[in-house]
Amino acid sequence: MSKESAVFHRHLDHEFLSLARGDGNHLILENGQKILDASGGAAVGCIGWGNKRVAQAVMNQILDIPYCATVFYTTKVQEDLCRDLVDSTGGKMSRAYIVNSGSEAMEAALKLARQYFLELDPPQPQRAHFISREHSYHGITLGALAVGGHAFRRANFEPLLMKNASRVSPCFAFRGKEPGESDSDYVKRLAKQLDDEFQRVGPANVCAFIAEPIVGAALGCVPSVSGYFKAVRSVCDKYGALLIIDEVMCGMGRSGTLHAWEQEGIAPDIQTIGKALGGGYQPVAGVLANHRVVDAVARGTSAFVHGHTYQGHPAGCAAALEVQRIVREDGLLKNVQAMGDLLAKGLHERLAHHPNVGNIRGRGLFWGIEFVADKDPLLLFPDDAHVSMDICEMGLQKPYSINVYPASISTIIISPAFNATKEVIETIVETVSRLVSDYFGKVEAM
């Protein structure tokens, strides 16, 4: 790319690779280099690239009607997508709201949670406080950033962020469990901490607790331990607060079930979705709300005081609907489970004993590798280290030519397409293992 680019890139002093096209599990640069996309970008690509069926569905919709002013109209494609999403929850959720990004989805979820309490009879206007978790990420817009716990992304904008948000510890066994502590005792300790936070801010003031079933960008594929979400669901119910589950990165099949909460034995009041919803073929994300929330609005004003020019965008809905049909018709959730097991087994066999690999964790086709300076004793990399990004940048170069994704300072994410084959998974394992070994060998030699 030219240094005279007119694009306001994420980094103005970086020479970005020029992406020409995608083909299945690979990305092809303008110079012809072929890169194995082992992360689907930011865990977005779920059916690979170059799918003509999705492209045709989008093109057909654009030719029919490319835009819908939702203040006046609806479209069949939006109605069909929302029905498909609601039906996929087995009756747990009632309505869907389609937007264009995960950040937009979280903004809508926050407003919907607040409005829910205003619609009750009698209303509870004092409920305006949100509790989330440290080392979480819920979006880059100001509202979403305010309820998130991503310290680096918050830092420059702290004076602009709302103050009615607080955070508790994440459920992160690798770093959070005490020596000899059982999973059940760990869950009890975290549940008590959440309960204590409700008490500190006033239980009647809490609007919602927000959490990712599998923490994505902020920590790198950290699943909760068994029983955690049942415990926090109980705390929310005890005080009448809502539970917002953020599945923008880990949901829509990425974890092995269409909704990650299906593995937790609970259902949320409000859920955000994105990324694998449309597989990268159009910008699309969404919010799902349960009957409790929707019924309160319906009995009250019946109008959600929120809106976007491009909400329910027909082309985005067409892409998402076709991607979800492919996931279902091709049995891709079963493949996510099978290939996820193969990926986990391969990563553990090849890398678990590496002196700089501290933890390998994840579910489905959503796996993180956390690196440490030393694991005996456990010595974490300092906050100013750039280990994950350095590894990702090195991976893009020959002879590796592989795309993995950086999470936190020292964790990479591996999240290939749901239709990845055994051969693709084996290539990912071999290449990532070689990349990690070469990177730390190079560091030691310096």
Short mmCIF file of all heavy atoms in Angstrom, two decimals, residues 139-183:
data_model
loop_
_atom_site.label_atom_id
_atom_site.label_comp_id
_atom_site.label_asym_id
_atom_site.label_seq_id
_atom_site.Cartn_x
_atom_site.Cartn_y
_atom_site.Cartn_z
N GLY A 139 -17.76 -3.37 22.66
CA GLY A 139 -17.94 -2.46 21.54
C GLY A 139 -17.15 -1.18 21.73
O GLY A 139 -16.70 -0.85 22.83
N ILE A 140 -17.00 -0.44 20.63
CA ILE A 140 -16.10 0.73 20.62
C ILE A 140 -16.85 2.05 20.71
O ILE A 140 -16.23 3.10 20.92
CB ILE A 140 -15.23 0.68 19.34
CG1 ILE A 140 -13.93 1.49 19.53
CG2 ILE A 140 -16.02 1.16 18.13
CD1 ILE A 140 -12.98 0.90 20.52
N THR A 141 -18.16 2.08 20.54
CA THR A 141 -18.93 3.31 20.71
C THR A 141 -18.98 3.67 22.19
O THR A 141 -18.70 2.84 23.05
CB THR A 141 -20.34 3.15 20.14
OG1 THR A 141 -20.90 1.93 20.64
CG2 THR A 141 -20.32 3.09 18.62
N LEU A 142 -19.35 4.91 22.51
CA LEU A 142 -19.18 5.40 23.88
C LEU A 142 -19.98 4.61 24.91
O LEU A 142 -19.49 4.33 26.00
CB LEU A 142 -19.52 6.89 23.95
CG LEU A 142 -18.52 7.82 23.24
CD1 LEU A 142 -18.99 9.26 23.32
CD2 LEU A 142 -17.13 7.68 23.84
N GLY A 143 -21.23 4.28 24.61
CA GLY A 143 -22.02 3.51 25.56
C GLY A 143 -21.45 2.12 25.76
O GLY A 143 -21.30 1.65 26.90
N ALA A 144 -21.14 1.45 24.66
CA ALA A 144 -20.58 0.10 24.74
C ALA A 144 -19.22 0.11 25.41
O ALA A 144 -18.89 -0.80 26.19
CB ALA A 144 -20.47 -0.50 23.33
N LEU A 145 -18.41 1.12 25.12
CA LEU A 145 -17.09 1.24 25.74
C LEU A 145 -17.21 1.46 27.24
O LEU A 145 -16.42 0.94 28.03
CB LEU A 145 -16.33 2.38 25.08
CG LEU A 145 -14.80 2.39 25.18
CD1 LEU A 145 -14.19 1.15 24.56
CD2 LEU A 145 -14.25 3.64 24.51
N ALA A 146 -18.21 2.24 27.63
CA ALA A 146 -18.40 2.56 29.05
C ALA A 146 -18.71 1.33 29.89
O ALA A 146 -18.27 1.23 31.04
CB ALA A 146 -19.51 3.59 29.21
N VAL A 147 -19.45 0.38 29.33
CA VAL A 147 -19.80 -0.81 30.10
C VAL A 147 -18.76 -1.92 29.93
O VAL A 147 -18.84 -2.95 30.60
CB VAL A 147 -21.20 -1.34 29.75
CG1 VAL A 147 -22.26 -0.29 30.08
CG2 VAL A 147 -21.29 -1.76 28.28
N GLY A 148 -17.81 -1.73 29.04
CA GLY A 148 -16.77 -2.74 28.84
C GLY A 148 -15.62 -2.56 29.81
O GLY A 148 -15.51 -1.56 30.52
N GLY A 149 -14.75 -3.57 29.82
CA GLY A 149 -13.61 -3.53 30.72
C GLY A 149 -12.28 -3.64 30.00
O GLY A 149 -11.31 -4.17 30.54
N HIS A 150 -12.23 -3.14 28.76
CA HIS A 150 -11.00 -3.17 27.97
C HIS A 150 -10.22 -1.89 28.27
O HIS A 150 -10.48 -0.83 27.69
CB HIS A 150 -11.33 -3.28 26.49
CG HIS A 150 -10.19 -3.73 25.63
ND1 HIS A 150 -9.00 -3.02 25.54
CD2 HIS A 150 -10.04 -4.82 24.83
CE1 HIS A 150 -8.18 -3.65 24.70
NE2 HIS A 150 -8.79 -4.75 24.27
N ALA A 151 -9.26 -1.97 29.19
CA ALA A 151 -8.59 -0.78 29.73
C ALA A 151 -7.94 0.06 28.64
O ALA A 151 -8.05 1.30 28.65
CB ALA A 151 -7.56 -1.19 30.78
N PHE A 152 -7.24 -0.57 27.70
CA PHE A 152 -6.52 0.18 26.67
C PHE A 152 -7.49 0.97 25.79
O PHE A 152 -7.25 2.15 25.48
CB PHE A 152 -5.68 -0.76 25.81
CG PHE A 152 -5.01 -0.08 24.65
CD1 PHE A 152 -3.88 0.71 24.85
CD2 PHE A 152 -5.51 -0.22 23.37
CE1 PHE A 152 -3.27 1.35 23.78
CE2 PHE A 152 -4.91 0.42 22.29
CZ PHE A 152 -3.78 1.20 22.50
N ARG A 153 -8.57 0.33 25.37
CA ARG A 153 -9.50 1.01 24.47
C ARG A 153 -10.32 2.08 25.19
O ARG A 153 -10.84 2.99 24.56
CB ARG A 153 -10.41 -0.02 23.79
CG ARG A 153 -9.63 -0.94 22.86
CD ARG A 153 -10.51 -1.91 22.11
NE ARG A 153 -9.71 -2.75 21.22
CZ ARG A 153 -10.20 -3.69 20.41
NH1 ARG A 153 -11.49 -3.90 20.40
NH2 ARG A 153 -9.40 -4.39 19.66
N ARG A 154 -10.44 1.97 26.51
CA ARG A 154 -11.16 2.97 27.29
C ARG A 154 -10.31 4.20 27.61
O ARG A 154 -10.83 5.31 27.76
CB ARG A 154 -11.61 2.36 28.62
CG ARG A 154 -12.74 1.37 28.54
CD ARG A 154 -12.95 0.72 29.92
NE ARG A 154 -13.20 1.73 30.94
CZ ARG A 154 -14.39 2.10 31.35
NH1 ARG A 154 -15.47 1.55 30.84
NH2 ARG A 154 -14.52 3.03 32.29
N ALA A 155 -8.99 4.00 27.73
CA ALA A 155 -8.11 4.97 28.38
C ALA A 155 -8.26 6.40 27.86
O ALA A 155 -8.45 7.35 28.65
CB ALA A 155 -6.66 4.52 28.25
N ASN A 156 -8.19 6.62 26.56
CA ASN A 156 -8.23 7.97 26.00
C ASN A 156 -9.58 8.66 26.19
O ASN A 156 -9.67 9.89 26.10
CB ASN A 156 -7.91 7.95 24.51
CG ASN A 156 -6.44 7.68 24.24
OD1 ASN A 156 -5.61 7.70 25.14
ND2 ASN A 156 -6.12 7.41 22.98
N PHE A 157 -10.60 7.86 26.43
CA PHE A 157 -11.96 8.41 26.39
C PHE A 157 -12.68 8.36 27.73
O PHE A 157 -13.88 8.63 27.80
CB PHE A 157 -12.76 7.66 25.32
CG PHE A 157 -12.03 7.57 24.01
CD1 PHE A 157 -11.42 6.39 23.61
CD2 PHE A 157 -11.90 8.69 23.20
CE1 PHE A 157 -10.71 6.32 22.43
CE2 PHE A 157 -11.20 8.63 22.01
CZ PHE A 157 -10.60 7.44 21.62
N GLU A 158 -11.95 8.07 28.80
CA GLU A 158 -12.56 7.97 30.12
C GLU A 158 -13.40 9.20 30.49
O GLU A 158 -14.50 9.06 31.03
CB GLU A 158 -11.50 7.73 31.20
CG GLU A 158 -10.91 6.32 31.21
CD GLU A 158 -11.89 5.28 31.74
OE1 GLU A 158 -12.98 5.66 32.23
OE2 GLU A 158 -11.56 4.09 31.66
N PRO A 159 -12.94 10.44 30.20
CA PRO A 159 -13.76 11.60 30.56
C PRO A 159 -15.11 11.65 29.85
O PRO A 159 -16.02 12.35 30.30
CB PRO A 159 -12.89 12.79 30.15
CG PRO A 159 -11.50 12.27 30.12
CD PRO A 159 -11.64 10.85 29.65
N LEU A 160 -15.24 10.93 28.73
CA LEU A 160 -16.47 10.96 27.94
C LEU A 160 -17.44 9.85 28.32
O LEU A 160 -18.60 9.87 27.88
CB LEU A 160 -16.14 10.83 26.45
CG LEU A 160 -15.13 11.82 25.86
CD1 LEU A 160 -14.95 11.53 24.37
CD2 LEU A 160 -15.57 13.25 26.08
N LEU A 161 -16.98 8.88 29.10
CA LEU A 161 -17.78 7.68 29.35
C LEU A 161 -18.72 7.88 30.53
O LEU A 161 -18.39 8.52 31.51
CB LEU A 161 -16.87 6.48 29.62
CG LEU A 161 -15.85 6.15 28.51
CD1 LEU A 161 -15.03 4.93 28.89
CD2 LEU A 161 -16.55 5.95 27.17
N MET A 162 -19.93 7.29 30.40
CA MET A 162 -20.90 7.39 31.50
C MET A 162 -20.33 6.71 32.75
O MET A 162 -19.58 5.73 32.66
CB MET A 162 -22.23 6.76 31.09
CG MET A 162 -22.20 5.27 30.82
SD MET A 162 -23.83 4.68 30.28
CE MET A 162 -23.55 2.90 30.20
N LYS A 163 -20.69 7.23 33.89
CA LYS A 163 -20.13 6.77 35.16
C LYS A 163 -21.01 5.76 35.88
O LYS A 163 -20.62 5.24 36.93
CB LYS A 163 -19.86 7.97 36.08
CG LYS A 163 -19.00 9.06 35.45
CD LYS A 163 -17.69 8.51 34.89
CE LYS A 163 -16.87 9.60 34.20
NZ LYS A 163 -15.68 9.04 33.52
N ASN A 164 -22.19 5.50 35.35
CA ASN A 164 -23.10 4.56 36.00
C ASN A 164 -22.84 3.12 35.54
O ASN A 164 -23.75 2.38 35.15
CB ASN A 164 -24.56 4.95 35.73
CG ASN A 164 -24.87 5.08 34.25
OD1 ASN A 164 -24.06 5.62 33.50
ND2 ASN A 164 -26.02 4.61 33.84
N ALA A 165 -21.55 2.75 35.55
CA ALA A 165 -21.15 1.38 35.19
C ALA A 165 -20.00 0.96 36.09
O ALA A 165 -19.13 1.77 36.43
CB ALA A 165 -20.72 1.32 33.72
N SER A 166 -20.01 -0.29 36.50
CA SER A 166 -18.92 -0.82 37.33
C SER A 166 -18.64 -2.25 36.90
O SER A 166 -19.41 -2.85 36.14
CB SER A 166 -19.30 -0.76 38.81
OG SER A 166 -20.50 -1.47 39.07
N ARG A 167 -17.54 -2.79 37.40
CA ARG A 167 -17.09 -4.09 36.92
C ARG A 167 -16.67 -5.00 38.07
O ARG A 167 -16.18 -4.54 39.11
CB ARG A 167 -15.92 -3.91 35.94
CG ARG A 167 -16.34 -3.47 34.55
CD ARG A 167 -15.24 -2.78 33.78
NE ARG A 167 -14.95 -1.46 34.33
CZ ARG A 167 -15.69 -0.38 34.11
NH1 ARG A 167 -16.76 -0.46 33.35
NH2 ARG A 167 -15.35 0.78 34.63
N VAL A 168 -16.89 -6.30 37.84
CA VAL A 168 -16.43 -7.33 38.76
C VAL A 168 -15.41 -8.20 38.03
O VAL A 168 -15.15 -8.00 36.85
CB VAL A 168 -17.61 -8.18 39.29
CG1 VAL A 168 -18.53 -7.33 40.16
CG2 VAL A 168 -18.38 -8.82 38.14
N SER A 169 -14.86 -9.17 38.72
CA SER A 169 -13.83 -10.03 38.12
C SER A 169 -14.41 -10.93 37.04
O SER A 169 -15.56 -11.40 37.16
CB SER A 169 -13.18 -10.90 39.20
OG SER A 169 -12.55 -10.12 40.18
N PRO A 170 -13.63 -11.23 36.01
CA PRO A 170 -14.09 -12.20 35.02
C PRO A 170 -14.00 -13.61 35.56
O PRO A 170 -13.32 -13.85 36.56
CB PRO A 170 -13.11 -12.00 33.86
CG PRO A 170 -11.84 -11.56 34.53
CD PRO A 170 -12.28 -10.72 35.71
N CYS A 171 -14.68 -14.53 34.91
CA CYS A 171 -14.53 -15.95 35.24
C CYS A 171 -13.39 -16.48 34.38
O CYS A 171 -13.59 -16.90 33.25
CB CYS A 171 -15.83 -16.70 34.97
SG CYS A 171 -15.79 -18.43 35.48
N PHE A 172 -12.19 -16.45 34.93
CA PHE A 172 -10.97 -16.74 34.17
C PHE A 172 -10.12 -17.67 35.01
O PHE A 172 -9.25 -17.23 35.77
CB PHE A 172 -10.25 -15.42 33.88
CG PHE A 172 -9.07 -15.51 32.97
CD1 PHE A 172 -8.75 -16.67 32.28
CD2 PHE A 172 -8.24 -14.40 32.79
CE1 PHE A 172 -7.65 -16.75 31.44
CE2 PHE A 172 -7.14 -14.46 31.95
CZ PHE A 172 -6.85 -15.63 31.28
N ALA A 173 -10.37 -18.97 34.87
CA ALA A 173 -9.75 -19.95 35.76
C ALA A 173 -8.23 -19.92 35.72
O ALA A 173 -7.58 -20.07 36.76
CB ALA A 173 -10.25 -21.35 35.39
N PHE A 174 -7.64 -19.70 34.55
CA PHE A 174 -6.19 -19.72 34.41
C PHE A 174 -5.52 -18.71 35.33
O PHE A 174 -4.49 -18.98 35.95
CB PHE A 174 -5.80 -19.47 32.95
CG PHE A 174 -4.32 -19.33 32.72
CD1 PHE A 174 -3.44 -20.34 33.05
CD2 PHE A 174 -3.81 -18.17 32.14
CE1 PHE A 174 -2.07 -20.20 32.83
CE2 PHE A 174 -2.45 -18.02 31.91
CZ PHE A 174 -1.58 -19.04 32.26
N ARG A 175 -6.10 -17.53 35.42
CA ARG A 175 -5.51 -16.48 36.25
C ARG A 175 -6.26 -16.22 37.55
O ARG A 175 -5.70 -15.68 38.50
CB ARG A 175 -5.44 -15.17 35.47
CG ARG A 175 -4.52 -15.21 34.26
CD ARG A 175 -4.24 -13.81 33.78
NE ARG A 175 -3.50 -13.78 32.52
CZ ARG A 175 -3.03 -12.68 31.97
NH1 ARG A 175 -3.22 -11.52 32.56
NH2 ARG A 175 -2.37 -12.72 30.83
N GLY A 176 -7.54 -16.59 37.59
CA GLY A 176 -8.37 -16.18 38.71
C GLY A 176 -8.54 -17.18 39.83
O GLY A 176 -8.79 -16.80 40.98
N LYS A 177 -8.44 -18.46 39.53
CA LYS A 177 -8.64 -19.47 40.57
C LYS A 177 -7.47 -19.48 41.56
O LYS A 177 -6.31 -19.37 41.16
CB LYS A 177 -8.79 -20.86 39.96
CG LYS A 177 -10.18 -21.15 39.42
CD LYS A 177 -10.29 -22.55 38.84
CE LYS A 177 -10.22 -23.61 39.91
NZ LYS A 177 -10.46 -24.97 39.36
N GLU A 178 -7.80 -19.64 42.82
CA GLU A 178 -6.77 -19.73 43.84
C GLU A 178 -6.24 -21.16 43.92
O GLU A 178 -6.94 -22.10 43.53
CB GLU A 178 -7.35 -19.31 45.19
CG GLU A 178 -7.76 -17.84 45.22
CD GLU A 178 -8.44 -17.44 46.51
OE1 GLU A 178 -8.73 -18.35 47.34
OE2 GLU A 178 -8.69 -16.24 46.71
N PRO A 179 -5.01 -21.36 44.40
CA PRO A 179 -4.45 -22.71 44.50
C PRO A 179 -5.36 -23.63 45.32
O PRO A 179 -5.77 -23.28 46.43
CB PRO A 179 -3.11 -22.49 45.21
CG PRO A 179 -2.74 -21.08 44.87
CD PRO A 179 -4.03 -20.32 44.82
N GLY A 180 -5.70 -24.78 44.75
CA GLY A 180 -6.53 -25.75 45.44
C GLY A 180 -8.02 -25.45 45.42
O GLY A 180 -8.82 -26.24 45.94
N GLU A 181 -8.41 -24.34 44.82
CA GLU A 181 -9.83 -23.97 44.79
C GLU A 181 -10.57 -24.79 43.74
O GLU A 181 -10.13 -24.89 42.59
CB GLU A 181 -9.96 -22.48 44.48
CG GLU A 181 -11.37 -21.94 44.59
CD GLU A 181 -11.44 -20.43 44.39
OE1 GLU A 181 -10.63 -19.91 43.58
OE2 GLU A 181 -12.26 -19.77 45.05
N SER A 182 -11.70 -25.37 44.09
CA SER A 182 -12.51 -26.14 43.15
C SER A 182 -13.30 -25.19 42.27
O SER A 182 -13.47 -24.01 42.58
CB SER A 182 -13.47 -27.06 43.90
OG SER A 182 -14.44 -26.30 44.59
N ASP A 183 -13.80 -25.72 41.14
CA ASP A 183 -14.62 -24.91 40.26
C ASP A 183 -15.85 -24.39 40.99
O ASP A 183 -16.24 -23.22 40.83
CB ASP A 183 -15.05 -25.72 39.03
CG ASP A 183 -13.95 -25.85 38.00
OD1 ASP A 183 -12.88 -25.24 38.19
OD2 ASP A 183 -14.16 -26.58 37.01
#
